[in-house]
Amino acid sequence: MAFDQQRFDRLIQRLEAFASQQPPIYRLHVAFLAVLGYAYILLIIAVTMTLLAGIVWLMLTTKSSFGTAAVKAVIFLLAIAIILLRSLWVSFPPPTGLALRRKDVASLFCLVDDISSKLQAPKFHHILLTTDFNASVVQRPRLGLFGWYQNYLIVGLPLMLALPPEQFRAVLAHEMGHISGNHSRFSAWIYRQRITWYRIEEGLGKGGNESSWFMFNRFLEWYIPFFYAYSFVLARLNEYEADRCAVEIAGVENSAKTLMNVKVKARFLENYFWSDIYQQVQTEVEPPKTSYTAMQTALNQGIPLKEASIYLAQALAEKTDNADTHPCLTDRLKALGFTPGVQEELSVSAPIRLSAAQEYLGTSLEKFRDEFSQAWCEKIATPWRQKYADVQKSLAILDKLNAKAERQQLSLGEATTRALLTFELEGEEAVVPLLREVINLDKNHASANYLLGQILLKQEDASGIEHIERAIAQDIDIGIDGYQIIFSFLKKHGQNDRAELYQERAEKHYDLIIRGQEERSSLKASDNFKSHNLSNAEINKLHQQLSRYPHITTAYLVQKVVQYFPEKPLYVLAVMRKFSFWENNHDADNAQLVDALLKEVELPGGVFCFVLNNNLNFEKTFKQIPAAAIYQQKIKK
C-alpha cells in the first residue's frame, strides 16, 4: 500500500468520524471513488481504440500512401488494446470445498432458502462444506471486472459441530446480510470492487508487460490505497449491519451468544483439541484416522468451565484495530445492546445436546465427517512421520538431561533446553519447576519468565504478573502481548483500574515501537553514529561475505545512536560499488544488492544497509569513526 500504517490509521479515524456524522454523503464519496476507477479504465481503452480506429480510417479513406510508421502505429495500438483487455480480464478462481447437494442435505438448503427469502439475499448457486471454523459468502464474477456473479455459501464443518441450530442460524444470517437486499447491497458491491482492484493490481504486476503497467501504475498507486481506506470504513460498518441481520433472524440473545461462542470454541479447538491431537505424535507413528469424529465428541461434551472462562475473557479484552475490518467482540456486543455476565461463561462451556451439523446435515454427517478425517490423515501423514522421528530425538536428549540433572547441576543452556523440551513434550504442569530452576540460574531470563508468567496466570496465580514484567524488561518485542495478558487476567478478576494501567502501558509501548521503527527506517545527515564494537571474528566473517560481491569496492560499518530501545543496536552497513558502462538502472541494481546483503549478513541487532555512491556525505562522516572501514577490495595487478 502507498500509505504507511500511521498515516492509514489517521485517515481511518477521520473517515470513521465523517461516516458516523453524515452516512449518506460518505456513501456517495465511496460510490464516486468506485465509479472513478471504472471511468479511468474505460477512458484508457476508449482513447486507445479511438486512436486505432482513426489511423485505420485514414489509411482506408485517403489516397495518400502510408509508410511503415503508420503500420507500426496500428500494430502498436492494437497490441496495447489487447494487453489492456487481457490485463482487465481478472480471473477469480472458484472457492474450494465439498459441494453439497439438496437431496443429501435438504434441511440445510431449506434453512438457506428461508433466510435468503427473509433478507432478500440473492440465490446461492453452490453450498460448500469445508474444514474451516468459519462461514462466508463469496460472490465470484464470471466476467471479471464486468460481473455476472456466481454466489457461493461456504460453511465449515467444525463450526457446525460447535454451534447449536439457533446459533448457526445467526451465523448464516450474518453472512447473508453482507449481500442482503434489505441492508447491504451497496456495501456488498463496494466489497467486490475492493477484491477486484487488488486482483487487477496483482494481475498487472505479474503480467510483466511494461506498456500496461506504465498506463495504470501511477493511477493504481494512488487509487487503490485511497479506495481501500474509504471502503475499509464502509466494510466495518457493514459488519454491524450484518449483525443486525442476525438479530432480525435469530434475536438479540442468540446473536450475542453466537459471537461469544464462536470466539471461545475457536480458541478451544486451536489451544486444546488440535494440541491434544498433535500430542499423540510422541507415541504414534501414524496420525489418527478419526480426527473429526473426535472433534464432534469433544465439542458435544462441552468445554471445561475454567478454560471457557479464560477464552471468553481474552476475547472480551481484545480491541478493535485497523488490521481487520471486523470490530472486536466487545464493540459488537455493545452495538447489540448486550452485556455479558457469569451466565455466558456457563453457556459457552455447556455440552451441546444437538449440534447444527446433526440438525442440518442429518444422516450425511457421518459420511462427511469420515471423508474429512481421511483427507486430513492423508495430508498430514508425511510431516507427522517426520515429526515423530524428531520427537524421538528430543525425547532422547531430554532423557540424557534428566539423567544428568540427577547427578549434577545443569548449565544455564542445558537447563533452558531441558525446560523447553519438557514444555513441548509434557505440557505446562511438568515444566513449572524446571522454569524456576532456569530463573534461579538467571533471574532475568526473558523466555523462562515469560512462559512461567503465562502458566501461573492461567493457574490463577497473580505472581505470574511479576515474571511477565521481568520478561518485558528484557525483550521489548513481547511488550504488547505481555501487557495484554496481564490486562486480561486483572480484568477477569475485577481489578479494572489496575487493568486499565496495563492497557495504557501496552498503548504507550506500541507508540514507542512505532517511533523506534521510524527512527530505524531512515538515515539523516544530522544523525549521530558510533563505532560498531564487534569482535574481530565477527568482522572477519562479514569481510568474507562482502568479498563474494566483486562490484563492492569499499564497506563501512557503524552503529546509529538511537533514542528508542538503545539496548537493541542498529548497525549501518554502507557499501561503495562500481558499475559497468552498460549498466543504466542504478536504483534497481542498488536495491537488488541491498536485498542480497540483508539476507546474508547476520549481526547482533538490526541492520540498515545502503549504497554510498549517491550519498557521499555519509562517507565523510563514517571515515571519522574509528574502525568504521571494514572492507577494501584488493586491486588486481
Side-chain angles (χ1 to χ4, degrees), residues 210-238:
E210 296 180 358
S211 300
S212 59
W213 184 243
F214 170 78
M215 292 185 178
F216 283 99
N217 185 35
R218 294 295 295 273
F219 174 75
L220 294 179
E221 282 183 347
W222 167 81
Y223 177 78
I224 289 182
F226 205 64
F227 179 63
Y228 178 79
Y230 266 82
S231 58
F232 181 96
V233 174
L234 188 65
R236 179 166 290 169
L237 293 175
N238 194 29

PDB file of all heavy atoms in Angstrom, residues 210-238:
ATOM      1  N   GLU A 210       5.374  -3.939 -19.765  1.00  0.00           N
ATOM      2  CA  GLU A 210       5.684  -2.574 -19.379  1.00  0.00           C
ATOM      3  C   GLU A 210       4.642  -1.573 -19.874  1.00  0.00           C
ATOM      4  O   GLU A 210       4.386  -0.569 -19.232  1.00  0.00           O
ATOM      5  CB  GLU A 210       7.062  -2.185 -19.905  1.00  0.00           C
ATOM      6  CG  GLU A 210       8.188  -3.019 -19.298  1.00  0.00           C
ATOM      7  CD  GLU A 210       9.540  -2.615 -19.838  1.00  0.00           C
ATOM      8  OE1 GLU A 210       9.574  -1.724 -20.711  1.00  0.00           O
ATOM      9  OE2 GLU A 210      10.552  -3.189 -19.386  1.00  0.00           O
ATOM     10  N   SER A 211       4.011  -1.849 -21.021  1.00  0.00           N
ATOM     11  CA  SER A 211       3.048  -0.893 -21.571  1.00  0.00           C
ATOM     12  C   SER A 211       1.816  -0.777 -20.680  1.00  0.00           C
ATOM     13  O   SER A 211       1.398   0.320 -20.307  1.00  0.00           O
ATOM     14  CB  SER A 211       2.627  -1.331 -22.982  1.00  0.00           C
ATOM     15  OG  SER A 211       3.743  -1.388 -23.828  1.00  0.00           O
ATOM     16  N   SER A 212       1.217  -1.924 -20.329  1.00  0.00           N
ATOM     17  CA  SER A 212       0.019  -1.876 -19.492  1.00  0.00           C
ATOM     18  C   SER A 212       0.365  -1.344 -18.104  1.00  0.00           C
ATOM     19  O   SER A 212      -0.400  -0.590 -17.510  1.00  0.00           O
ATOM     20  CB  SER A 212      -0.616  -3.262 -19.382  1.00  0.00           C
ATOM     21  OG  SER A 212       0.305  -4.185 -18.838  1.00  0.00           O
ATOM     22  N   TRP A 213       1.532  -1.749 -17.593  1.00  0.00           N
ATOM     23  CA  TRP A 213       1.912  -1.281 -16.263  1.00  0.00           C
ATOM     24  C   TRP A 213       2.164   0.218 -16.263  1.00  0.00           C
ATOM     25  O   TRP A 213       1.791   0.931 -15.325  1.00  0.00           O
ATOM     26  CB  TRP A 213       3.149  -2.029 -15.805  1.00  0.00           C
ATOM     27  CG  TRP A 213       3.564  -1.694 -14.396  1.00  0.00           C
ATOM     28  CD1 TRP A 213       4.713  -1.121 -13.983  1.00  0.00           C
ATOM     29  CD2 TRP A 213       2.794  -1.927 -13.215  1.00  0.00           C
ATOM     30  NE1 TRP A 213       4.729  -0.981 -12.624  1.00  0.00           N
ATOM     31  CE2 TRP A 213       3.557  -1.452 -12.124  1.00  0.00           C
ATOM     32  CE3 TRP A 213       1.532  -2.466 -12.977  1.00  0.00           C
ATOM     33  CZ2 TRP A 213       3.103  -1.514 -10.821  1.00  0.00           C
ATOM     34  CZ3 TRP A 213       1.091  -2.535 -11.666  1.00  0.00           C
ATOM     35  CH2 TRP A 213       1.867  -2.065 -10.619  1.00  0.00           C
ATOM     36  N   PHE A 214       2.768   0.754 -17.321  1.00  0.00           N
ATOM     37  CA  PHE A 214       3.028   2.190 -17.407  1.00  0.00           C
ATOM     38  C   PHE A 214       1.722   2.980 -17.403  1.00  0.00           C
ATOM     39  O   PHE A 214       1.619   4.018 -16.760  1.00  0.00           O
ATOM     40  CB  PHE A 214       3.818   2.497 -18.687  1.00  0.00           C
ATOM     41  CG  PHE A 214       3.937   3.965 -18.977  1.00  0.00           C
ATOM     42  CD1 PHE A 214       4.846   4.736 -18.281  1.00  0.00           C
ATOM     43  CD2 PHE A 214       3.136   4.569 -19.935  1.00  0.00           C
ATOM     44  CE1 PHE A 214       4.955   6.098 -18.536  1.00  0.00           C
ATOM     45  CE2 PHE A 214       3.238   5.924 -20.194  1.00  0.00           C
ATOM     46  CZ  PHE A 214       4.161   6.681 -19.490  1.00  0.00           C
ATOM     47  N   MET A 215       0.708   2.486 -18.088  1.00  0.00           N
ATOM     48  CA  MET A 215      -0.551   3.215 -18.185  1.00  0.00           C
ATOM     49  C   MET A 215      -1.350   3.196 -16.882  1.00  0.00           C
ATOM     50  O   MET A 215      -2.121   4.099 -16.614  1.00  0.00           O
ATOM     51  CB  MET A 215      -1.418   2.635 -19.310  1.00  0.00           C
ATOM     52  CG  MET A 215      -0.851   2.881 -20.690  1.00  0.00           C
ATOM     53  SD  MET A 215      -1.979   2.315 -21.970  1.00  0.00           S
ATOM     54  CE  MET A 215      -1.075   2.779 -23.431  1.00  0.00           C
ATOM     55  N   PHE A 216      -1.183   2.154 -16.092  1.00  0.00           N
ATOM     56  CA  PHE A 216      -2.013   2.010 -14.904  1.00  0.00           C
ATOM     57  C   PHE A 216      -1.254   2.246 -13.593  1.00  0.00           C
ATOM     58  O   PHE A 216      -1.879   2.535 -12.578  1.00  0.00           O
ATOM     59  CB  PHE A 216      -2.615   0.600 -14.859  1.00  0.00           C
ATOM     60  CG  PHE A 216      -3.757   0.410 -15.802  1.00  0.00           C
ATOM     61  CD1 PHE A 216      -3.563  -0.205 -17.030  1.00  0.00           C
ATOM     62  CD2 PHE A 216      -5.019   0.841 -15.481  1.00  0.00           C
ATOM     63  CE1 PHE A 216      -4.613  -0.384 -17.899  1.00  0.00           C
ATOM     64  CE2 PHE A 216      -6.082   0.671 -16.341  1.00  0.00           C
ATOM     65  CZ  PHE A 216      -5.878   0.051 -17.562  1.00  0.00           C
ATOM     66  N   ASN A 217       0.056   2.144 -13.608  1.00  0.00           N
ATOM     67  CA  ASN A 217       0.797   2.108 -12.355  1.00  0.00           C
ATOM     68  C   ASN A 217       0.575   3.352 -11.500  1.00  0.00           C
ATOM     69  O   ASN A 217       0.218   3.258 -10.320  1.00  0.00           O
ATOM     70  CB  ASN A 217       2.291   1.931 -12.636  1.00  0.00           C
ATOM     71  CG  ASN A 217       3.082   1.766 -11.358  1.00  0.00           C
ATOM     72  OD1 ASN A 217       2.613   1.177 -10.400  1.00  0.00           O
ATOM     73  ND2 ASN A 217       4.288   2.308 -11.332  1.00  0.00           N
ATOM     74  N   ARG A 218       0.787   4.553 -12.080  1.00  0.00           N
ATOM     75  CA  ARG A 218       0.673   5.783 -11.300  1.00  0.00           C
ATOM     76  C   ARG A 218      -0.733   5.949 -10.748  1.00  0.00           C
ATOM     77  O   ARG A 218      -0.915   6.357  -9.600  1.00  0.00           O
ATOM     78  CB  ARG A 218       1.052   6.983 -12.181  1.00  0.00           C
ATOM     79  CG  ARG A 218       2.496   7.021 -12.614  1.00  0.00           C
ATOM     80  CD  ARG A 218       3.416   7.199 -11.406  1.00  0.00           C
ATOM     81  NE  ARG A 218       3.211   8.489 -10.769  1.00  0.00           N
ATOM     82  CZ  ARG A 218       3.816   9.608 -11.124  1.00  0.00           C
ATOM     83  NH1 ARG A 218       4.700   9.589 -12.115  1.00  0.00           N
ATOM     84  NH2 ARG A 218       3.582  10.733 -10.487  1.00  0.00           N
ATOM     85  N   PHE A 219      -1.723   5.614 -11.572  1.00  0.00           N
ATOM     86  CA  PHE A 219      -3.109   5.736 -11.110  1.00  0.00           C
ATOM     87  C   PHE A 219      -3.390   4.745  -9.990  1.00  0.00           C
ATOM     88  O   PHE A 219      -3.963   5.101  -8.954  1.00  0.00           O
ATOM     89  CB  PHE A 219      -4.077   5.490 -12.279  1.00  0.00           C
ATOM     90  CG  PHE A 219      -5.529   5.459 -11.850  1.00  0.00           C
ATOM     91  CD1 PHE A 219      -6.197   6.624 -11.533  1.00  0.00           C
ATOM     92  CD2 PHE A 219      -6.202   4.252 -11.760  1.00  0.00           C
ATOM     93  CE1 PHE A 219      -7.531   6.600 -11.133  1.00  0.00           C
ATOM     94  CE2 PHE A 219      -7.529   4.210 -11.364  1.00  0.00           C
ATOM     95  CZ  PHE A 219      -8.191   5.384 -11.051  1.00  0.00           C
ATOM     96  N   LEU A 220      -2.965   3.476 -10.160  1.00  0.00           N
ATOM     97  CA  LEU A 220      -3.242   2.454  -9.157  1.00  0.00           C
ATOM     98  C   LEU A 220      -2.511   2.739  -7.854  1.00  0.00           C
ATOM     99  O   LEU A 220      -3.032   2.450  -6.774  1.00  0.00           O
ATOM    100  CB  LEU A 220      -2.860   1.075  -9.685  1.00  0.00           C
ATOM    101  CG  LEU A 220      -3.689   0.545 -10.862  1.00  0.00           C
ATOM    102  CD1 LEU A 220      -3.182  -0.823 -11.280  1.00  0.00           C
ATOM    103  CD2 LEU A 220      -5.157   0.465 -10.495  1.00  0.00           C
ATOM    104  N   GLU A 221      -1.294   3.288  -7.941  1.00  0.00           N
ATOM    105  CA  GLU A 221      -0.548   3.604  -6.723  1.00  0.00           C
ATOM    106  C   GLU A 221      -1.294   4.616  -5.863  1.00  0.00           C
ATOM    107  O   GLU A 221      -1.206   4.589  -4.636  1.00  0.00           O
ATOM    108  CB  GLU A 221       0.840   4.149  -7.073  1.00  0.00           C
ATOM    109  CG  GLU A 221       1.833   3.080  -7.481  1.00  0.00           C
ATOM    110  CD  GLU A 221       3.206   3.660  -7.735  1.00  0.00           C
ATOM    111  OE1 GLU A 221       3.313   4.909  -7.841  1.00  0.00           O
ATOM    112  OE2 GLU A 221       4.175   2.888  -7.832  1.00  0.00           O
ATOM    113  N   TRP A 222      -2.010   5.532  -6.518  1.00  0.00           N
ATOM    114  CA  TRP A 222      -2.820   6.495  -5.756  1.00  0.00           C
ATOM    115  C   TRP A 222      -4.183   5.920  -5.426  1.00  0.00           C
ATOM    116  O   TRP A 222      -4.652   6.013  -4.287  1.00  0.00           O
ATOM    117  CB  TRP A 222      -3.010   7.781  -6.573  1.00  0.00           C
ATOM    118  CG  TRP A 222      -4.089   8.657  -5.986  1.00  0.00           C
ATOM    119  CD1 TRP A 222      -3.968   9.522  -4.941  1.00  0.00           C
ATOM    120  CD2 TRP A 222      -5.468   8.715  -6.407  1.00  0.00           C
ATOM    121  NE1 TRP A 222      -5.183  10.115  -4.678  1.00  0.00           N
ATOM    122  CE2 TRP A 222      -6.120   9.638  -5.564  1.00  0.00           C
ATOM    123  CE3 TRP A 222      -6.203   8.078  -7.405  1.00  0.00           C
ATOM    124  CZ2 TRP A 222      -7.473   9.948  -5.700  1.00  0.00           C
ATOM    125  CZ3 TRP A 222      -7.544   8.376  -7.534  1.00  0.00           C
ATOM    126  CH2 TRP A 222      -8.171   9.297  -6.706  1.00  0.00           C
ATOM    127  N   TYR A 223      -4.818   5.296  -6.401  1.00  0.00           N
ATOM    128  CA  TYR A 223      -6.225   4.939  -6.275  1.00  0.00           C
ATOM    129  C   TYR A 223      -6.480   3.795  -5.292  1.00  0.00           C
ATOM    130  O   TYR A 223      -7.356   3.899  -4.418  1.00  0.00           O
ATOM    131  CB  TYR A 223      -6.781   4.556  -7.657  1.00  0.00           C
ATOM    132  CG  TYR A 223      -8.223   4.094  -7.624  1.00  0.00           C
ATOM    133  CD1 TYR A 223      -9.252   5.016  -7.528  1.00  0.00           C
ATOM    134  CD2 TYR A 223      -8.533   2.738  -7.670  1.00  0.00           C
ATOM    135  CE1 TYR A 223     -10.575   4.599  -7.486  1.00  0.00           C
ATOM    136  CE2 TYR A 223      -9.852   2.311  -7.628  1.00  0.00           C
ATOM    137  CZ  TYR A 223     -10.867   3.253  -7.546  1.00  0.00           C
ATOM    138  OH  TYR A 223     -12.173   2.830  -7.489  1.00  0.00           O
ATOM    139  N   ILE A 224      -5.725   2.698  -5.410  1.00  0.00           N
ATOM    140  CA  ILE A 224      -6.056   1.504  -4.618  1.00  0.00           C
ATOM    141  C   ILE A 224      -5.927   1.752  -3.119  1.00  0.00           C
ATOM    142  O   ILE A 224      -6.853   1.426  -2.358  1.00  0.00           O
ATOM    143  CB  ILE A 224      -5.210   0.301  -5.077  1.00  0.00           C
ATOM    144  CG1 ILE A 224      -5.695  -0.165  -6.453  1.00  0.00           C
ATOM    145  CG2 ILE A 224      -5.290  -0.834  -4.079  1.00  0.00           C
ATOM    146  CD1 ILE A 224      -4.979  -1.368  -7.006  1.00  0.00           C
ATOM    147  N   PRO A 225      -4.831   2.342  -2.613  1.00  0.00           N
ATOM    148  CA  PRO A 225      -4.783   2.606  -1.165  1.00  0.00           C
ATOM    149  C   PRO A 225      -5.882   3.569  -0.713  1.00  0.00           C
ATOM    150  O   PRO A 225      -6.458   3.399   0.361  1.00  0.00           O
ATOM    151  CB  PRO A 225      -3.393   3.209  -0.955  1.00  0.00           C
ATOM    152  CG  PRO A 225      -2.599   2.746  -2.123  1.00  0.00           C
ATOM    153  CD  PRO A 225      -3.568   2.698  -3.263  1.00  0.00           C
ATOM    154  N   PHE A 226      -6.173   4.586  -1.538  1.00  0.00           N
ATOM    155  CA  PHE A 226      -7.185   5.571  -1.173  1.00  0.00           C
ATOM    156  C   PHE A 226      -8.574   4.933  -1.161  1.00  0.00           C
ATOM    157  O   PHE A 226      -9.363   5.118  -0.227  1.00  0.00           O
ATOM    158  CB  PHE A 226      -7.134   6.731  -2.173  1.00  0.00           C
ATOM    159  CG  PHE A 226      -7.658   8.024  -1.612  1.00  0.00           C
ATOM    160  CD1 PHE A 226      -7.008   8.641  -0.549  1.00  0.00           C
ATOM    161  CD2 PHE A 226      -8.782   8.625  -2.144  1.00  0.00           C
ATOM    162  CE1 PHE A 226      -7.481   9.825  -0.022  1.00  0.00           C
ATOM    163  CE2 PHE A 226      -9.262   9.811  -1.623  1.00  0.00           C
ATOM    164  CZ  PHE A 226      -8.605  10.422  -0.565  1.00  0.00           C
ATOM    165  N   PHE A 227      -8.864   4.156  -2.174  1.00  0.00           N
ATOM    166  CA  PHE A 227     -10.157   3.457  -2.235  1.00  0.00           C
ATOM    167  C   PHE A 227     -10.258   2.431  -1.112  1.00  0.00           C
ATOM    168  O   PHE A 227     -11.320   2.247  -0.515  1.00  0.00           O
ATOM    169  CB  PHE A 227     -10.315   2.783  -3.595  1.00  0.00           C
ATOM    170  CG  PHE A 227     -11.601   2.017  -3.748  1.00  0.00           C
ATOM    171  CD1 PHE A 227     -12.825   2.669  -3.701  1.00  0.00           C
ATOM    172  CD2 PHE A 227     -11.591   0.639  -3.932  1.00  0.00           C
ATOM    173  CE1 PHE A 227     -14.011   1.962  -3.837  1.00  0.00           C
ATOM    174  CE2 PHE A 227     -12.767  -0.072  -4.058  1.00  0.00           C
ATOM    175  CZ  PHE A 227     -13.981   0.594  -4.020  1.00  0.00           C
ATOM    176  N   TYR A 228      -9.148   1.775  -0.797  1.00  0.00           N
ATOM    177  CA  TYR A 228      -9.154   0.793   0.276  1.00  0.00           C
ATOM    178  C   TYR A 228      -9.497   1.455   1.608  1.00  0.00           C
ATOM    179  O   TYR A 228     -10.277   0.913   2.400  1.00  0.00           O
ATOM    180  CB  TYR A 228      -7.796   0.111   0.378  1.00  0.00           C
ATOM    181  CG  TYR A 228      -7.710  -0.890   1.509  1.00  0.00           C
ATOM    182  CD1 TYR A 228      -8.245  -2.155   1.379  1.00  0.00           C
ATOM    183  CD2 TYR A 228      -7.097  -0.548   2.717  1.00  0.00           C
ATOM    184  CE1 TYR A 228      -8.182  -3.079   2.423  1.00  0.00           C
ATOM    185  CE2 TYR A 228      -7.030  -1.463   3.761  1.00  0.00           C
ATOM    186  CZ  TYR A 228      -7.567  -2.717   3.611  1.00  0.00           C
ATOM    187  OH  TYR A 228      -7.515  -3.615   4.644  1.00  0.00           O
ATOM    188  N   ALA A 229      -8.915   2.623   1.879  1.00  0.00           N
ATOM    189  CA  ALA A 229      -9.193   3.319   3.143  1.00  0.00           C
ATOM    190  C   ALA A 229     -10.667   3.692   3.245  1.00  0.00           C
ATOM    191  O   ALA A 229     -11.310   3.481   4.284  1.00  0.00           O
ATOM    192  CB  ALA A 229      -8.315   4.565   3.248  1.00  0.00           C
ATOM    193  N   TYR A 230     -11.229   4.271   2.170  1.00  0.00           N
ATOM    194  CA  TYR A 230     -12.643   4.650   2.194  1.00  0.00           C
ATOM    195  C   TYR A 230     -13.535   3.426   2.347  1.00  0.00           C
ATOM    196  O   TYR A 230     -14.495   3.420   3.127  1.00  0.00           O
ATOM    197  CB  TYR A 230     -13.000   5.414   0.917  1.00  0.00           C
ATOM    198  CG  TYR A 230     -12.897   6.913   1.060  1.00  0.00           C
ATOM    199  CD1 TYR A 230     -11.668   7.553   0.949  1.00  0.00           C
ATOM    200  CD2 TYR A 230     -14.021   7.686   1.312  1.00  0.00           C
ATOM    201  CE1 TYR A 230     -11.560   8.938   1.085  1.00  0.00           C
ATOM    202  CE2 TYR A 230     -13.923   9.065   1.452  1.00  0.00           C
ATOM    203  CZ  TYR A 230     -12.696   9.684   1.333  1.00  0.00           C
ATOM    204  OH  TYR A 230     -12.595  11.040   1.487  1.00  0.00           O
ATOM    205  N   SER A 231     -13.238   2.371   1.601  1.00  0.00           N
ATOM    206  CA  SER A 231     -14.090   1.181   1.644  1.00  0.00           C
ATOM    207  C   SER A 231     -13.865   0.374   2.921  1.00  0.00           C
ATOM    208  O   SER A 231     -14.748  -0.382   3.337  1.00  0.00           O
ATOM    209  CB  SER A 231     -13.832   0.298   0.415  1.00  0.00           C
ATOM    210  OG  SER A 231     -12.480  -0.091   0.331  1.00  0.00           O
ATOM    211  N   PHE A 232     -12.703   0.553   3.561  1.00  0.00           N
ATOM    212  CA  PHE A 232     -12.430  -0.137   4.827  1.00  0.00           C
ATOM    213  C   PHE A 232     -13.451   0.286   5.884  1.00  0.00           C
ATOM    214  O   PHE A 232     -14.010  -0.554   6.603  1.00  0.00           O
ATOM    215  CB  PHE A 232     -11.012   0.201   5.289  1.00  0.00           C
ATOM    216  CG  PHE A 232     -10.594  -0.474   6.570  1.00  0.00           C
ATOM    217  CD1 PHE A 232      -9.876  -1.652   6.543  1.00  0.00           C
ATOM    218  CD2 PHE A 232     -10.902   0.078   7.815  1.00  0.00           C
ATOM    219  CE1 PHE A 232      -9.483  -2.287   7.716  1.00  0.00           C
ATOM    220  CE2 PHE A 232     -10.524  -0.542   8.987  1.00  0.00           C
ATOM    221  CZ  PHE A 232      -9.806  -1.728   8.946  1.00  0.00           C
ATOM    222  N   VAL A 233     -13.677   1.561   5.991  1.00  0.00           N
ATOM    223  CA  VAL A 233     -14.644   2.068   6.966  1.00  0.00           C
ATOM    224  C   VAL A 233     -16.042   1.552   6.644  1.00  0.00           C
ATOM    225  O   VAL A 233     -16.794   1.143   7.537  1.00  0.00           O
ATOM    226  CB  VAL A 233     -14.623   3.609   6.998  1.00  0.00           C
ATOM    227  CG1 VAL A 233     -15.730   4.152   7.895  1.00  0.00           C
ATOM    228  CG2 VAL A 233     -13.258   4.099   7.464  1.00  0.00           C
ATOM    229  N   LEU A 234     -16.396   1.553   5.358  1.00  0.00           N
ATOM    230  CA  LEU A 234     -17.703   1.046   4.958  1.00  0.00           C
ATOM    231  C   LEU A 234     -17.826  -0.447   5.275  1.00  0.00           C
ATOM    232  O   LEU A 234     -18.880  -0.916   5.714  1.00  0.00           O
ATOM    233  CB  LEU A 234     -17.925   1.287   3.464  1.00  0.00           C
ATOM    234  CG  LEU A 234     -19.328   0.983   2.934  1.00  0.00           C
ATOM    235  CD1 LEU A 234     -20.341   1.940   3.553  1.00  0.00           C
ATOM    236  CD2 LEU A 234     -19.351   1.092   1.419  1.00  0.00           C
ATOM    237  N   ALA A 235     -16.746  -1.191   5.068  1.00  0.00           N
ATOM    238  CA  ALA A 235     -16.770  -2.626   5.366  1.00  0.00           C
ATOM    239  C   ALA A 235     -16.975  -2.881   6.855  1.00  0.00           C
ATOM    240  O   ALA A 235     -17.692  -3.809   7.246  1.00  0.00           O
ATOM    241  CB  ALA A 235     -15.461  -3.275   4.900  1.00  0.00           C
ATOM    242  N   ARG A 236     -16.378  -2.041   7.692  1.00  0.00           N
ATOM    243  CA  ARG A 236     -16.582  -2.195   9.135  1.00  0.00           C
ATOM    244  C   ARG A 236     -18.025  -1.870   9.514  1.00  0.00           C
ATOM    245  O   ARG A 236     -18.632  -2.578  10.333  1.00  0.00           O
ATOM    246  CB  ARG A 236     -15.611  -1.308   9.906  1.00  0.00           C
ATOM    247  CG  ARG A 236     -15.774  -1.384  11.410  1.00  0.00           C
ATOM    248  CD  ARG A 236     -14.599  -0.773  12.127  1.00  0.00           C
ATOM    249  NE  ARG A 236     -13.413  -1.595  11.972  1.00  0.00           N
ATOM    250  CZ  ARG A 236     -12.181  -1.204  12.306  1.00  0.00           C
ATOM    251  NH1 ARG A 236     -11.987   0.004  12.798  1.00  0.00           N
ATOM    252  NH2 ARG A 236     -11.158  -2.012  12.144  1.00  0.00           N
ATOM    253  N   LEU A 237     -18.578  -0.825   8.932  1.00  0.00           N
ATOM    254  CA  LEU A 237     -19.986  -0.510   9.187  1.00  0.00           C
ATOM    255  C   LEU A 237     -20.879  -1.651   8.724  1.00  0.00           C
ATOM    256  O   LEU A 237     -21.914  -1.947   9.345  1.00  0.00           O
ATOM    257  CB  LEU A 237     -20.368   0.791   8.470  1.00  0.00           C
ATOM    258  CG  LEU A 237     -19.698   2.076   8.979  1.00  0.00           C
ATOM    259  CD1 LEU A 237     -20.090   3.251   8.096  1.00  0.00           C
ATOM    260  CD2 LEU A 237     -20.082   2.349  10.428  1.00  0.00           C
ATOM    261  N   ASN A 238     -20.473  -2.300   7.647  1.00  0.00           N
ATOM    262  CA  ASN A 238     -21.265  -3.409   7.113  1.00  0.00           C
ATOM    263  C   ASN A 238     -21.277  -4.597   8.069  1.00  0.00           C
ATOM    264  O   ASN A 238     -22.243  -5.377   8.086  1.00  0.00           O
ATOM    265  CB  ASN A 238     -20.701  -3.839   5.758  1.00  0.00           C
ATOM    266  CG  ASN A 238     -21.674  -4.732   4.999  1.00  0.00           C
ATOM    267  OD1 ASN A 238     -22.880  -4.622   5.162  1.00  0.00           O
ATOM    268  ND2 ASN A 238     -21.142  -5.613   4.176  1.00  0.00           N
TER     269      ASN A 238
END
